[in-house]
Amino acid sequence: MSSTHEILNQAPPREGVDEYAANVPLVEAVARWGRRGPDAASPDLHAIGALVGSRGFQHDAERANTQPPVLRTHDRWGHRVDEVEYDDAYHRIMAAAVGAGAHTSAWADPGPGANVDRAAAFFLFAQVEPGHSCPVSMTHAAVPVLELAASGLRDDWMPRLLSREYEPELSGAGLGTRPEGAPRPPEAKRSAIVGMAMTEKQGGSDVRANTTRAEPTGADGTWGREFRLTGHKWFCSAPMSDAFLVLAQAPGGLSCFFVPRVLPDGSRNVFRIQRLKDKLGNRSNASSEIEFDDTPAWLVGEEGRGVATIVQMVTRTRLDCVIGTAAGMRQSVAEAAWHVRHRSAFGALLVDQPAMAAVVADLALESEAATLTAMRLARAYDDGTAPAGDGGSEQAFRRLATAVSKYWVCKRGPGHAYEALECLGGNGYTEEFPLARRYREQPLLAIWEGSGNVIALDVLRVLAREPEAFDAFFDVVGAAGGEHAGFDLALAEAQSVVREVSADAGAGASRARELTERLALVLQAALLIEHSPGAVADAFVRTRLEGGGGMLYGTLPPGTDTAAILARA
């Protein structure tokens, strides 16, 4: 055999890793803000970390993306079924995530730190396979909206959302020898995944331009007021979910509706999947166009207040966009750090070469800042249980901080993924390594639930309508004052911009992105100053606030303790 095929100087597979234990910033954040506190172990999270770091889970993640969902509109007898078929690997991943409570555990067992523990579980699963996170996130976020539904609808569906079982079949799907499309009693299904459908082709983010119509039937049963929907939705992700929250124009204005895939009598609802979207990434998650045609639906919340009703769901899915991006950053850093610790060039390991060490350390800074931001935000969603020392309203803080973080963290994701990919050289650009998939994935989270301008303008709306949110935000951020002159200056400048924009509403839109970016950076810097080692906080402030770094990753200023930063990666 020719010696040219001897394998030399290649990093071994990154398998058999407890991804939770390996992520020092995440472990510290859970100890600080999670349910168990600083002195208790997190066996559930260690179990998830070992699972997602296993060879089998990584193989399932790859297969779920290389064997993407397939639309099947009719069964072999010609019945319209509108089903999406997934590879078994996808179902194994979903079953694991739901079984671990990555969807609704914070609602099933609320209390101080519940949202942090749930966020950490969601983070770990999303780190290795992000596509399935969409239905997991939507189910989590649907719970507070369903609380506004009629008692019969809520009582029938809430236990299914909180269940840790995963049943991929629709309750109206055929079982065993039953003909496909034959009714199955809906109560036979003990669990459910819930999604949402808002976007229409003529409106995009402008949901008030939606044209889907909702006509009242006059029926008012245990599920509340029944309507019939007619219209088209341009984007509907995870269309095999059991039910959807949908915006449509009712006689009283834009309203929120609950649309089950299977009706109470066991028959399929009219939910026509027109096609699956051919996306840049997010291949394991089916996104579709759907058609409603006299489709039964039930009103949730008040008629005419659809945006106010569904915004509770959107706020939480925005939070999950931040968590998902931070998870992607962690995957990128972990893969890059693993590679440079095992690969040699020019007579030394890559990690021992200053130029490469600076790049990975800089990537690790970004990852740690995103992780702390995501976990601190999750803590703010534990209503009525503010962290010790919080000087403001947690609800007001999260109202602003969620939008600010969604804008900044998600926008930083794509560039971060690219730089990490380049650390692997040609291997990073191949589909056999996970960072090519991650590079395609990261832009999506900046688009989902409001792209950049939508989020930045939302920050302006908060300034105009809820100024108390800015007070709460600066109470939290200001706790880090006095530790670093560069931070203190950046904080004062951010507060000055807030005052300037408040005084000149006409110029607000043109400065919305500047304002949002400044707020995001002082939030991240404050969290790092308070909770991370000095080397990490100092490097972040010098590069992100003082301008001591360059335009790209790896241009750290002299004196940066790269070894200390890398030790946490």
Side-chain angles (χ1 to χ4, degrees), residues 286-338:
S287 296
S288 62
E289 294 175 36
I290 60 170
E291 194 85 20
F292 300 125
D293 186 5
D294 205 33
T295 299
W298 283 263
L299 180 68
V300 177
E302 297 179 37
E303 186 175 348
R305 290 186 53 79
V307 173
T309 299
I310 208 168
V311 75
Q312 299 186 65
M313 185 177 192
V314 173
T315 299
R316 286 172 170 81
T317 51
R318 284 180 175 177
L319 168 62
D320 281 354
C321 286
V322 178
I323 299 170
T325 301
M329 288 183 177
R330 171 58 192 169
Q331 182 186 42
S332 297
V333 168
E335 293 292 335
W338 180 267

Side-chain angles (χ1 to χ4, degrees), residues 272-465:
R272 294 176 182 150
I273 304 174
Q274 303 295 76
R275 62 168 174 162
L276 300 186
K277 298 288 192 177
D278 187 8
K279 297 173 294 184
L280 170 68
N282 199 240
R283 293 282 180 168
S284 67
N285 178 41
S287 296
S288 62
E289 294 175 36
I290 60 170
E291 194 85 20
F292 300 125
D293 186 5
D294 205 33
T295 299
W298 283 263
L299 180 68
V300 177
E302 297 179 37
E303 186 175 348
R305 290 186 53 79
V307 173
T309 299
I310 208 168
V311 75
Q312 299 186 65
M313 185 177 192
V314 173
T315 299
R316 286 172 170 81
T317 51
R318 284 180 175 177
L319 168 62
D320 281 354
C321 286
V322 178
I323 299 170
T325 301
M329 288 183 177
R330 171 58 192 169
Q331 182 186 42
S332 297
V333 168
E335 293 292 335
W338 180 267
H339 179 83
V340 302
R341 286 190 169 109
H342 292 91
R343 177 89 165 180
S344 296
F346 308 110
L349 285 173
L350 292 176
V351 72
D352 293 330
Q353 302 191 30
M356 181 60 81
V359 170
V360 180
D362 210 356
L363 292 170
L365 281 180
E366 196 75 33
S367 175
E368 182 158 347
T371 298
L372 260 67
T373 302
M375 293 301 115
R376 177 60 181 88
L377 270 179
R379 187 65 175 86
Y381 281 78
D382 288 321
D383 292 330
T385 57
D390 171 53
S393 163
E394 284 291 275
Q395 290 190 22
F397 166 72
R398 80 189 190 206
R399 173 68 181 95
L400 176 59
T402 302
V404 163
S405 303
K406 162 67 168 77
Y407 174 90
W408 181 248
V409 174
C410 295
K411 280 195 170 297
R412 296 289 285 177
H416 187 275
Y418 157 70
E419 195 68 55
L421 179 155
E422 187 179 311
C423 291
L424 274 66
N427 285 351
Y429 200 65
T430 68
E431 294 294 339
E432 292 177 308
F433 288 78
L435 293 192
R437 184 164 68 244
R438 177 58 64 181
Y439 179 56
R440 293 194 306 273
E441 188 75 27
Q442 290 293 66
L444 177 61
L445 295 174
I447 298 170
W448 258 347
E449 314 306 0
S451 53
N453 285 342
V454 171
I455 300 298
L457 292 173
D458 189 34
V459 171
L460 290 186
R461 280 191 291 273
V462 176
L463 180 59
R465 302 174 186 175

Side-chain angles (χ1 to χ4, degrees), residues 63-147:
R63 186 168 180 83
N65 284 271
T66 57
Q67 304 295 320
V70 176
L71 173 61
R72 189 166 68 103
T73 57
H74 295 77
D75 67 15
R76 53 184 163 168
W77 293 282
H79 300 114
R80 181 101 195 196
V81 293
D82 293 289
E83 291 187 350
V84 179
E85 295 180 345
Y86 297 82
D87 189 85
D88 287 344
Y90 174 87
H91 291 307
R92 286 191 292 270
I93 291 169
M94 281 291 294
V98 171
H103 62 327
T104 56
S105 61
W107 301 110
D109 187 16
N115 276 285
V116 176
D117 287 2
R118 178 261 161 189
F122 181 84
F123 182 113
L124 291 167
F125 282 104
Q127 176 181 329
V128 180
E129 205 301 294
H132 82 287
S133 301
C134 175
V136 170
S137 173
M138 290 192 296
T139 303
H140 163 74
V143 171
V145 180
L146 195 59
E147 289 284 2

